[in-house]
Amino acid sequence: MKKILLSLLILFLPFELLNLIYKNAEYSFGDNDVSRFKNVPYSIQLANSGNSLGEQMNYKNHPGLTAVKFSLLMQPINYDFHILKQYIDHFARDSIFIIVLSYGEVDGILNDNIYRTIKGRYYQFLKSNYIEDYSLFDRIRYCAVPIVYAEYPFYKIKRRFLKAEEQDEPEEILDAAQKKTCFLEKRLEQDNFLNVFNRTYPRQKQAGLDYNKNYVIKMAKLCNEHNVHPVVVTPPLPANTVHALEKTDYFTAFEKLKSAILDECKNQQIEINWLDYNRSEEYMNHEEWFKDPVHLKDEYCAKYTDEILEAINKTGAGLF
């Protein structure tokens, strides 16, 4: 019996070690890096939500502030709310929560195929009651034996520990979300922006507007209940992107969403501020500040963040 147990242990240990290595590669590095959520500080003074446009917030010029980014690449707005709800008790009184509302979250909702490819990361740090459609099977799948269900696990391990260059990725290795949406920086320059936009955040018209409005209001209300000041920020876009969106009804939908949120907050006596950079002339006139049709270059992210914090101060909601 002891020999049998010893044999099983010998077989199990290498598998478990490989499993742990894969989890580290998948969830402590790159697009799905959730390590920042494992030790979220208390007395947070400043935080932001969002997807890749939330990731471009850069607080390096404010080392004295306890600032946290609750954003992740391709993060859907419902998980902005769930993450805020889990960590709302970590905020200091009169702190600031920046709700980064991307161009896709006007009347669009994140593509279901993309959502399925990123769902596992939320099992790594969110409590079960904050995970939508939670299941024990998924808990086991994503946390206990993720390598069994992983796509290209050994490539991801190699990329993590050997630091393989991203531009050398063979086509067949690309993550499912990337393959389905072409949402890679190197492809954004080549692909039609509106096609990428519509594939990533399929527009749902009124249903999409209501969906996004409700989550913004939920976040603002939760902030108010905990003496946190919510500020919605719509990030800047370069001129070519703005002109492409002006050929659609995007900005009409955007103004409709903005008015609906502000009116509802006024009716419910929910404090909220809104900083709109979508058509900021300063940024539209400097397309060289952008690395693709929507994202700022790293060297301009701190400048953009500083402008936001200065504007927040002017609203009277700031603590800086």
Side-chain angles (χ1 to χ4, degrees):
M1 185 64 178
K2 289 183 178 179
K3 288 184 178 181
I4 294 173
L5 290 175
L6 183 61
S7 298
L8 290 173
L9 186 62
I10 291 171
L11 290 172
F12 173 76
L13 285 177
F15 170 78
E16 184 58 21
L17 178 61
L18 195 59
N19 208 45
L20 290 172
I21 292 172
Y22 169 73
K23 282 185 71 174
N24 179 274
E26 178 70 359
Y27 298 116
S28 299
F29 175 76
D31 297 345
N32 285 323
D33 183 1
V34 296
S35 55
R36 76 185 70 165
F37 297 97
K38 300 297 178 69
N39 295 292
V40 174
Y42 282 87
S43 300
I44 294 171
Q45 297 169 284
L46 176 66
N48 69 268
S49 67
N51 47 34
S52 58
L53 293 173
E55 285 289 88
Q56 67 184 12
M57 298 292 292
N58 187 326
Y59 303 114
K60 72 176 185 179
N61 293 336
H62 303 273
L65 287 174
T66 303
V68 177
K69 291 202 292 189
F70 287 128
S71 50
L72 283 169
L73 185 72
M74 292 294 181
Q75 182 151 282
I77 195 169
N78 54 329
Y79 275 93
D80 286 336
F81 171 65
H82 297 318
I83 290 170
L84 175 63
K85 199 167 184 180
Q86 175 160 303
Y87 295 111
I88 191 67
D89 291 334
H90 288 240
F91 284 74
R93 185 182 181 88
D94 288 326
S95 52
I96 303 292
F97 183 63
I98 299 173
I99 302 170
V100 179
L101 195 65
S102 80
Y103 64 93
E105 295 167 326
V106 174
D107 59 0
I109 299 175
L110 185 68
N111 182 302
D112 285 342
N113 291 327
I114 300 174
Y115 171 70
R116 282 192 288 271
T117 66
I118 63 174
K119 183 179 179 181
R121 67 191 183 194
Y122 297 109
Y123 277 81
Q124 309 305 314
F125 68 93
L126 280 180
K127 296 176 182 177
S128 59
N129 52 317
Y130 298 132
I131 297 175
E132 297 197 6
D133 302 318
Y134 174 87
S135 75
L136 182 59
F137 171 78
D138 281 341
R139 170 68 70 182
I140 295 169
R141 171 184 177 178
Y142 293 124
C143 298
V145 290
I147 198 168
V148 174
Y149 298 93
E151 291 188 14
Y152 311 110
F154 295 106
Y155 172 77
K156 291 180 178 179
I157 291 171
K158 175 186 173 184
R159 184 182 62 179
R160 170 67 178 93
F161 293 103
L162 299 184
K163 297 182 179 179
E165 293 295 326
E166 190 175 23
Q167 59 264 32
D168 293 335
E169 292 181 8
E171 180 69 22
E172 65 272 15
I173 293 301
L174 295 174
D175 290 341
Q178 295 172 332
K179 288 173 69 178
K180 289 185 174 94
T181 65
C182 296
F183 208 91
L184 289 171
E185 289 175 12
K186 60 189 177 185
R187 289 188 178 182
L188 274 168
E189 299 296 340
Q190 303 165 5
D191 205 345
N192 180 276
F193 166 71
L194 289 178
N195 288 339
V196 176
F197 171 42
N198 292 327
R199 284 199 301 273
T200 308
Y201 292 94
R203 299 186 67 183
Q204 309 291 327
K205 298 186 178 179
Q206 189 61 46
L209 282 170
D210 291 341
Y211 181 84
N212 294 314
K213 178 195 77 173
N214 290 338
Y215 274 108
V216 171
I217 292 172
K218 283 180 179 181
M219 285 188 275
K221 185 175 182 180
L222 183 63
C223 286
N224 279 209
E225 291 169 352
H226 290 80
N227 296 300
V228 176
H229 301 286
V231 180
V232 178
V233 171
T234 42
L237 297 168
N240 283 342
T241 300
V242 170
H243 297 329
L245 291 172
E246 284 176 338
K247 294 176 182 177
T248 72
D249 63 346
Y250 167 80
F251 285 109
T252 300
F254 170 75
E255 293 299 335
K256 186 176 180 181
L257 174 68
K258 183 178 178 181
S259 295
I261 290 171
L262 294 178
D263 289 347
E264 185 66 25
C265 284
K266 183 178 180 180
N267 291 338
Q268 294 190 37
Q269 296 184 317
I270 297 171
E271 176 219 326
I272 192 169
N273 283 291
W274 196 303
L275 301 175
D276 180 15
Y277 291 88
N278 266 185
R279 286 186 277 190
S280 163
E281 289 188 4
E282 178 187 12
Y283 288 90
M284 286 178 64
N285 292 335
H286 289 281
E287 295 209 32
E288 72 276 10
W289 292 358
F290 292 83
K291 62 184 177 182
D292 61 43
V294 293
H295 300 99
L296 287 165
K297 292 177 180 176
D298 292 346
E299 58 264 36
Y300 295 101
C301 289
K303 171 192 181 320
Y304 160 63
T305 303
D306 291 347
E307 288 185 9
I308 289 173
L309 299 190
E310 184 180 348
I312 288 173
N313 275 335
K314 291 179 180 177
T315 69
L319 47 74
F320 318 111

